[in-house]
Structure formats: C-alpha cells, structure tokens
Amino acid sequence: MLFERFKNEVDDILSRYPVKRSALLPLLNFAQREEGYVSESAMKEIAKILDLTPPQVFETVTFYTMFNLKPIGKFHLQVCKSLMCALVGSDDLVMWIQKKLSIAPGQTTADNIFTLSVVECLGSCGTGPMMQVNDDYYEQLSEEKVGRVLDDLKRDGTSSLKTGPFMYPQPLAK
C-alpha cells in the first residue's frame, strides 16, 4: 500500500489540516508524484484515510485536469487551446507536435518520454501560443522553438527556453 510506505509524509500532510477532508488535494498530489498518476488503489487509500467514499475522491480527481488517471510520459506537454492562444496559432502548433512525435492528444510516445494534452487557458494570454511542460511554461512558441524544447528535454531533461511559470508581456518594439 502506497501510504503505508510513506506514513510519515502522510501524517505530516494531515497535521496541516484541522479538517481531514481538506487534505484531499495534497494527498492526491503526493500520490501522483510517487506513482506518476493517481491510481485506483491510491484513490481507495485516500478515501479510507480521509473517511470519504471512493466516488468522492474520484470526482475530485476527474474535476481537476492536473491529475492523471493513467501513466503519462516523463514530460507532459500541455498546449493551451483557449481563444487567445488559438488566435496566434496554437492549433497549428498542436498539429505540428502530433506529426513530430507521432501521437495524438491524450497519447504518450512509445519511449514514454512525452505525453501530449490540449488544455484550456493556462493564464498566459498575452504571450501565446504557449504550453506547460510539467511545471514550466514555454511562451511565444513557434515550430522551431518547440522543436528546440523537445530536443533539449529529450537530451538534457530541461530546456533553457522555459519562461516561467509566468513571463510578463514585453513592451512593444518602437
């Protein structure tokens, strides 16, 4: 059982909340960090720990897009599809990524390096098109820039092109 192995960490999380139910999101986050996704067994354990029903935990997991119900790649590419990003080319960027990686949104590359998702607004409307890779933002993207990001991530595990979580819009050039 996942949480038996990490009893001290779970106890630490629970100690921060006077109402046990309030620890639901932190425990889900912890489970996802440890397993790479939130498994059914983890949801059942969390329900038991917090005196909730498994459906109550499941409805929370499925409400938040930050939680995954199946294993994903080492790098989770989340491309913004909101109107502002779409107006500056995010749809074309998604198509390009699909061709480059030979996967569709919701799929993972055969080597388990990349998973592609198309998501709603990531809060960077002035610097689109943009994507979030794990916890890092990449803004003002072009096919060339995304190609560099993917190559960097595959080779080095990081990319110097990350901009955030937030890069403020730059002043207009005169």
Side-chain angles (χ1 to χ4, degrees):
M1 309 227 22
L2 175 68
F3 292 103
E4 285 178 8
R5 288 194 337 243
F6 297 101
K7 185 175 179 355
N8 292 339
E9 290 87 342
V10 171
D11 289 344
D12 180 53
I13 291 169
L14 291 173
S15 73
R16 298 179 214 157
Y17 299 94
V19 177
K20 277 192 342 184
R21 178 189 189 109
S22 300
L24 179 55
L25 292 178
L27 287 176
L28 289 170
N29 249 339
F30 182 80
Q32 182 160 285
R33 261 194 330 273
E34 291 305 316
E35 296 183 313
Y37 69 108
V38 182
S39 66
E40 185 178 339
S41 63
M43 285 187 264
K44 287 178 180 176
E45 285 184 68
I46 291 170
K48 188 175 180 181
I49 290 167
L50 300 179
D51 298 323
L52 299 170
T53 65
Q56 288 173 306
V57 176
F58 181 77
E59 69 188 9
T60 301
V61 171
T62 57
F63 177 80
Y64 290 100
T65 58
M66 65 188 178
F67 296 120
N68 303 296
L69 290 171
K70 61 182 184 177
I72 61 169
K74 181 177 181 181
F75 300 106
H76 188 190
L77 312 173
Q78 300 174 78
V79 182
C80 180
K81 72 169 186 171
S82 71
L83 178 60
M84 295 306 291
C85 280
L87 288 172
V88 292
S90 66
D91 293 340
D92 293 335
L93 211 52
V94 169
M95 296 296 284
W96 185 86
I97 293 169
Q98 286 179 282
K99 280 185 186 175
K100 175 146 177 81
L101 298 178
S102 300
I103 57 173
Q107 294 181 336
T108 301
T109 55
D111 59 6
N112 290 319
I113 302 277
F114 298 108
T115 297
L116 176 62
S117 296
V118 179
V119 298
E120 283 301 328
C121 187
L122 290 167
S124 189
C125 298
T127 57
M130 65 89 56
M131 71 178 173
Q132 181 175 335
V133 179
N134 297 349
D135 293 325
D136 297 318
Y137 273 21
Y138 295 85
E139 299 165 299
Q140 296 175 329
L141 295 174
S142 63
E143 291 175 5
E144 178 186 333
K145 204 169 181 181
V146 172
R148 279 189 52 207
V149 169
L150 297 177
D151 291 344
D152 289 351
L153 291 173
K154 194 167 190 172
R155 183 185 59 248
D156 305 327
T158 188
S159 176
S160 63
L161 297 176
K162 62 185 161 190
T163 55
F166 293 103
M167 180 176 89
Y168 297 103
Q170 297 174 354
L172 296 174
K174 291 185 181 185

